[in-house]
Coordinates of all heavy atoms in Angstrom, one line a residue:
F646 N 13.4 27.7 142.8 CA 13.0 26.7 143.7 C 13.5 27.0 145.1 O 12.7 26.9 146.1 CB 13.6 25.3 143.3 CG 13.3 24.2 144.2 CD1 12.1 23.6 144.1 CD2 14.1 23.8 145.2 CE1 11.7 22.5 145.0 CE2 13.8 22.8 146.1 CZ 12.6 22.2 146.0
I688 N 21.5 8.3 151.8 CA 22.7 8.4 151.1 C 23.9 7.7 151.8 O 24.9 7.4 151.3 CB 23.1 9.9 150.8 CG1 23.5 10.6 152.1 CG2 22.0 10.7 150.1 CD1 24.3 11.8 151.8
L710 N 28.3 25.5 158.4 CA 29.1 24.2 158.6 C 30.6 24.4 158.6 O 31.3 23.4 158.8 CB 28.6 23.2 157.3 CG 27.2 22.8 157.3 CD1 26.9 22.1 156.0 CD2 27.1 21.7 158.5
H748 N 36.1 11.7 130.9 CA 37.4 11.4 130.4 C 38.2 10.5 131.3 O 37.8 10.2 132.4 CB 38.2 12.8 130.1 CG 38.2 13.7 131.3 ND1 39.0 13.5 132.3 CD2 37.5 14.8 131.5 CE1 38.8 14.5 133.2 NE2 37.9 15.3 132.8
N773 N 30.4 4.9 169.4 CA 30.6 3.9 170.5 C 31.7 2.9 170.2 O 31.4 1.6 170.2 CB 29.2 3.2 170.8 CG 28.1 4.2 171.2 OD1 28.4 5.2 171.9 ND2 27.0 4.1 170.6
G795 N 27.0 -1.8 128.3 CA 27.3 -0.7 129.2 C 27.7 -1.1 130.6 O 28.0 -2.3 130.8
I808 N 41.8 -7.4 163.7 CA 42.1 -8.9 163.9 C 41.5 -9.4 165.2 O 40.9 -10.4 165.3 CB 43.6 -9.0 163.8 CG1 44.1 -8.7 162.4 CG2 44.0 -10.4 164.2 CD1 45.6 -8.8 162.2

Side-chain angles (χ1 to χ4, degrees):
F646 176 83
I688 70 158
L710 291 171
H748 52 75
N773 304 317
I808 294 175

